[in-house]
Structure formats: C-alpha cells, structure tokens
C-alpha cells in the first residue's frame, strides 16, 4: 500500500522507545531528592549523592561512545543499559524504605548500611541510564541521517512518556499513602518497572546500522578538541547542566518547603501537584518546543538557542523566588520548553553536525558528559550547599542572577565564534 511505504518503521520504534524509556525514569528521577528528604537526608547529602550517581556519566559517556564507534556494539550496549535499569528498579522495590521525616545528622548518614544499599541500587539505575542515553541519541541521529535537525520531533515522545507516567506515579503514590504520615513510593517503582520491560522489547526491534570508521579514535579526538565551536558547545552544555540541576533536583524540595510554610492544606496532595508540574512541563512545554525545534534552530542557530535558554532560566528562577502558593508554580513550568527541550535539541543536532565521520558516538558522549557528567553534578553539590545554608527561595534568587550573567557571556561568545569562522571561510574562498 502507498501509505505503508511512506512509514519509517525505525523512526516509529525510536519514538516508542523514548516514550517508554523516559516513562521508566519519571517515577524515580524527579522524586529522588524528596525520597531522600523523607529518609531524613539533608539537601547537602542528597546533593553529594546526586553528584556521585552521575559519576558514570562523567567517566563512561565518552568511553561508551568511543567503544561503540570502534567495535560496532551500539545495540548491545543500548539493550544492556535498559536491562540494568530494570534490575535496579526491582532492587529498589525490595529496598527497605523510610517511614519518617526526622533529619539525620550528615555524618551519621554515611555510616548507615541502609543509605549505602539505597545508594548502590540507585547507582546501578544511573549506570544503566547512562548506557541507554549515550547510545539512544546516537542511534536516533543516525536514523535521521541528513535530517539530524529533526531530532526534537523524535525526542518529544520522551516528553510525552515523562509527563504521562510522572502524573500517574504522583497520583498513585498519594492514593496509596492516604492515612499514612509518609509517602509510599512503591507504586511509582512498579510503574517504572512495567515501562522498563516494555522498553526492552521495543528497543530489541530497532535496526541499528553503524558506519565503518574512517579514522582512529585518537585522530577523531584531536579533531574534536581543536575545533573551537565544539569547545564552546561543551562549555555551554556544562552551564546548561548546572542550571538545569536546580530544576531537576530541587524544584520538588522547593515546592514542599513553600507548601509547609504558606499552604500546609495542600500537603496531602503534594505528590499529585509535583506530578502535575511535570505533566505541564512535558505536554505544554517540551512537546511543542521539541516539535518546532527544527524550525527555530535553523532560523536563529544552535548557539543562539543557548543564549535564549539562559535568559529564560533567569526569568524562571526569579518567578520561583517570589511565589508562595505551590499551585502558581504550575504556570512557570510553561517556560520549561525553552530551558530544556529546545536547547537540548540544539545541543544534540549541533553535535551531530560537528562530529567527524565515524565518531558520532564519541561526540554525543562528550556532549552527554558535559551535561550530565559535569554540569548537573556540579549544580547538585552547589545547590545542596546553598539549599542547606540559605533555603530554597534565596537559592533560586541567586541562581537567577547567575543565569542572567551567563546569558550575557553566551551572547558575547557567540559573536566571537561567528566572526572567527566567518574570517576562516573568507580565507578559504580566496586561497
């Protein structure tokens, strides 16, 4: 049939993969800091924990990219990561929880067996997540070929999965926690496990083809580290991860703080409110921006997207710092599309454009390392310290100022790069 011939089966499967993979993460990743808070761990302890959990991203992302490029084992690594995630979720379901919110001294936390069991299970989950993420984006842009700028139109289905299952998870946790003085997160873990199992099946059906390498790993790395455009991209991505960590790690902590301070009547449904905030982030912010990301990136340029994102970050943090009603923060989540979906699409597609032939995985690994292996852990540690000593409201005010400052820095850097490569092009044309 004519309509069947026009359907790209591989792109449909990668869309389903993003939907289920992000759906598997939604009940765990955004709730992690409040799970730790309920266990009695301070913001500083959770900041240190989050940084340690992202060590695989720092060490393994570029290594995984290089190894899968060199040995053509991208699909095996892809599936192995998903299996590790599923095993970690099973272990998380079996890990004893906490039924109180009494703060534990920071020094005491690291001496308890329960903390290290909890940490090791999460470390396995993050390790699998790292393996999945570095390979899935490389597979996606490889399937797109010359249309790498359409990456966002595939990745938006991850936002749909994240928004759908975060809300389902939040409502389920509140429902099963009714009448208890703590939140029972096991319902969310079960949702995560179901998504993980389905994702393994879908991913096994994706056909992965790798281009034969035309250069050595050392030669590719030399090209990467000597291209100032790539260096600028990696610096900008580190800053993006730093700012993004305050949203991913501390937004729910902030929501619980302002609820306890100003509107305690909302506490019984706080997980539903948190889940709803993610749903708005995804359906009303990420999905539209992922969908139009190709047009915007082509119109204003990838690096100018970073400038726009940093400006929106400064506005977003400023609004958080003056809001007292947790329900009002839901409107602020509409800005999330600019501070994540659009700029993430720009980073991935620009990395694909700049990557040497045969080093696509290495390049995506470098970008992932900058975002998740350096930027987010750095923000987690700094954020944990600030949250502990100054509180959520003051912390968000300070980070809003930081975001505005880096916005100016980004704009200046973009002008320098534009002039630099304009001069090089003119030299090549006259030589």
């Amino acid at each position: 049939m004519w309509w069947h011939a026009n359907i790209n089966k591989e792109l449909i499967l990668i869309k389903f993969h993003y939907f289920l993979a992000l759906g598997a993460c939604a009940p765990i990743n955004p709730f992690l800091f409040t799970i730790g808070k309920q266990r009695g761990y301070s913001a500083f302890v959770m900041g240190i924990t989050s940084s340690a959990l992202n060590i695989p991203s720092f060490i393994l992302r570029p290594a995984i990219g290089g190894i899968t490029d060199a040995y053509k084992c991208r699909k095996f690594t892809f599936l192995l990561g998903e299996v590790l995630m599923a095993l970690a979720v099973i272990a998380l379901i079996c890990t004893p929880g906490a039924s109180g919110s009494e703060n534990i001294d920071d020094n005491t936390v690291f001496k308890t067996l329960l903390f290290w069991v909890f940490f090791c299970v999460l470390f396995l989950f993050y390790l699998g997540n790292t393996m999945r993420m570095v390979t899935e984006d490389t597979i996606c842009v490889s399937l797109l070929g010359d249309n790498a700028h359409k990456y966002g139109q595939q990745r938006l289905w991850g936002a749909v999965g994240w928004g759908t299952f975060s809300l389902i998870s939040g409502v389920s946790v509140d429902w099963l926690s009714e009448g208890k003085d703590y939140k029972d997160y096991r319902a969310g873990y079960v949702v995560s496990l179901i998504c993980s199992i389905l994702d393994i099946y879908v991913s096994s059906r994706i056909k992965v083809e790798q281009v034969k390498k035309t250069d050595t790993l050392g030669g590719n790395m030399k090209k990467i580290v000597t291209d100032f455009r790539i260096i600028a991209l990696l610096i900008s991505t580190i800053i993006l991860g730093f700012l993004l960590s305050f949203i991913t790690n501390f937004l729910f902590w902030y929501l619980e703080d302002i609820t306890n301070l100003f509107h305690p009547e909302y506490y019984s449904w706080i997980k539903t409110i948190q889940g709803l905030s993610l749903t708005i982030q995804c359906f009303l912010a990420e999905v539209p921006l992922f969908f139009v990301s190709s047009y915007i990136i082509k119109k204003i340029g990838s690096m100018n997207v970073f400038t726009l994102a940093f400006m929106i970050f400064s506005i977003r943090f400023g609004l958080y710092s003056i809001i007292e009603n947790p329900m009002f923060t839901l409107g602020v989540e509409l800005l999330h599309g600019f501070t994540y979906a659009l700029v993430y699409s720009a980073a991935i597609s620009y990395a694909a454009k700049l990557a040497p032939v045969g080093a696509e995985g290495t390049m995506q690994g470098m970008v992932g390392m900058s975002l998740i292996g350096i930027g987010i852990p750095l923000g987690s540690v700094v954020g944990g310290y600030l949250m502990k000593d100054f509180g959520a409201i003051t912390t968000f005010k300070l980070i809003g100022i930081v975001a505005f400052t880096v916005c100016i820095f980004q704009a200046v850097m973009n002008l320098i790069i534009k002039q630099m490569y304009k001069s090089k092009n003119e030299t090549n044309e006259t030589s």
Side-chain angles (χ1 to χ4, degrees):
M1 297 293 289
W2 64 269
W3 53 268
H4 182 74
N6 291 330
I7 296 176
N8 188 322
K9 177 184 176 182
E10 302 307 321
L11 290 183
I12 291 177
L13 289 174
I14 201 72
K15 289 180 175 70
F16 268 114
H17 157 70
Y18 278 122
F19 176 78
L20 293 168
L22 273 293
C25 293
I28 297 174
N29 294 50
F31 295 96
L32 179 59
F33 271 59
T34 54
I35 292 173
K37 183 180 183 181
Q38 179 171 281
R39 288 172 173 263
Y41 308 151
S42 71
F44 179 71
V45 167
M46 289 308 299
I48 294 293
T49 301
S50 178
S51 296
L53 290 174
N54 282 294
I55 286 177
S57 291
F58 178 74
I59 297 175
L60 294 180
R61 274 182 173 267
I64 290 172
I67 291 170
T68 56
D69 282 341
Y71 297 102
K72 301 181 70 173
C73 56
R74 195 169 289 158
K75 186 169 184 176
F76 172 79
T77 306
F78 183 44
L79 292 172
L80 179 60
E82 294 176 351
V83 170
L84 291 179
M85 287 178 62
L87 292 175
V89 175
I90 293 173
L92 196 58
I93 293 172
C94 300
T95 301
S99 59
S101 57
E102 184 178 347
N103 291 333
I104 304 173
D105 180 74
D106 290 352
N107 293 324
T108 303
V109 168
F110 297 112
K111 297 177 182 178
T112 61
L113 177 61
L114 182 57
F115 170 80
W116 288 109
V117 170
F118 178 62
F119 175 84
C120 289
V121 171
L122 290 175
F123 190 86
L124 181 64
F125 183 84
Y126 273 65
L127 174 62
N129 196 37
T130 296
M131 298 173 68
R132 172 188 64 79
M133 290 180 68
V134 74
T135 46
E136 72 184 2
D137 286 339
T138 309
I139 290 170
C140 183
V141 295
S142 296
L143 292 173
L144 290 169
D146 294 335
N147 297 312
H149 59 278
K150 294 184 178 180
Y151 163 82
Q153 295 175 15
Q154 320 310 314
R155 179 58 177 73
L156 70 84
W157 290 96
V160 174
W162 184 277
T164 300
F165 292 107
S166 60
L167 181 58
I168 291 173
S169 177
V171 172
S172 299
V173 169
D174 277 336
W175 180 56
L176 290 179
S177 302
E178 188 174 355
K180 301 177 181 178
D181 59 355
Y182 64 95
K183 296 297 182 181
D184 189 338
Y185 288 96
R186 286 177 296 178
Y189 301 155
V190 171
V191 171
S192 177
L193 180 60
I194 292 171
C195 288
S196 294
I197 293 172
L198 292 174
D199 186 33
I200 292 171
Y201 173 76
V202 169
S203 297
S204 68
R205 311 288 294 180
I206 298 175
K207 185 183 296 184
V208 179
E209 296 181 359
Q210 291 186 239
V211 177
K212 185 178 180 181
K213 283 182 64 61
T214 59
D215 202 350
T216 64
L217 179 59
N220 286 328
M221 287 302 297
K222 182 178 179 180
K223 291 179 181 179
I224 289 173
V225 299
T226 56
D227 190 329
F228 188 69
R229 294 172 300 177
I230 294 178
I231 295 173
L233 171 63
L234 297 179
I235 292 173
S236 299
T237 306
I238 289 173
I239 298 172
L240 171 64
F242 177 84
L243 296 174
L244 195 60
S245 70
F246 286 84
I247 304 295
T248 58
N249 291 335
F250 300 109
L251 177 58
F252 284 4
W253 196 297
Y254 153 79
L255 286 172
E256 292 189 2
D257 279 356
I258 63 172
T259 297
N260 290 330
L261 284 171
F262 304 112
H263 290 276
E265 69 274 14
Y266 288 137
Y267 183 74
S268 62
W269 288 102
I270 187 61
K271 296 303 161 186
T272 301
I273 294 174
Q274 291 169 342
L276 184 58
S277 73
L278 293 179
T279 302
I280 292 173
Q281 284 182 9
C282 295
F283 285 103
L284 301 183
E286 286 189 25
V287 170
L289 267 296
F290 270 130
F291 186 76
V292 301
S293 61
S294 174
Y295 173 79
I296 297 175
I297 291 168
K298 291 175 69 176
K299 198 73 175 177
I300 69 174
S302 297
M303 297 306 289
N304 287 328
V305 168
F306 276 90
T307 306
L308 175 63
F310 295 151
M311 175 58 73
I312 301 298
F313 262 123
S314 67
I315 296 172
R316 191 174 179 184
F317 284 120
L319 291 172
Y320 284 142
S321 68
I322 62 175
I323 288 175
E324 296 183 352
N325 190 322
M327 296 299 293
F328 290 171
T329 64
L330 298 179
V332 183
E333 304 316 305
L334 295 173
L335 299 176
H336 186 70
F338 293 95
T339 57
Y340 178 69
L342 179 60
V343 68
Y344 186 72
S345 296
I348 295 297
S349 59
Y350 195 47
K353 178 181 178 181
L354 296 178
V357 176
E360 296 84 0
T362 303
M363 189 65 219
Q364 295 297 340
M366 294 287 287
V367 170
M369 178 193 71
S370 300
L371 179 70
I372 302 178
I374 301 177
I376 288 181
L378 182 61
S380 298
V381 173
V382 173
Y385 173 78
L386 293 175
M387 291 280 289
K388 180 182 178 182
D389 285 6
F390 300 102
I393 296 175
T394 301
T395 295
F396 280 12
K397 285 181 180 178
L398 291 173
I399 298 304
I401 296 172
V402 171
F404 181 76
T405 303
V406 296
C407 172
I408 298 173
F409 168 79
Q410 181 73 42
V412 173
M413 186 169 65
N414 290 350
L415 290 174
I416 293 173
I417 294 173
K418 182 178 180 181
Q419 189 62 41
M420 180 185 301
Y421 282 86
K422 179 181 178 181
S423 299
K424 286 187 177 182
N425 291 334
E426 290 174 352
T427 300
N428 291 335
E429 289 173 2
T430 57
S431 60

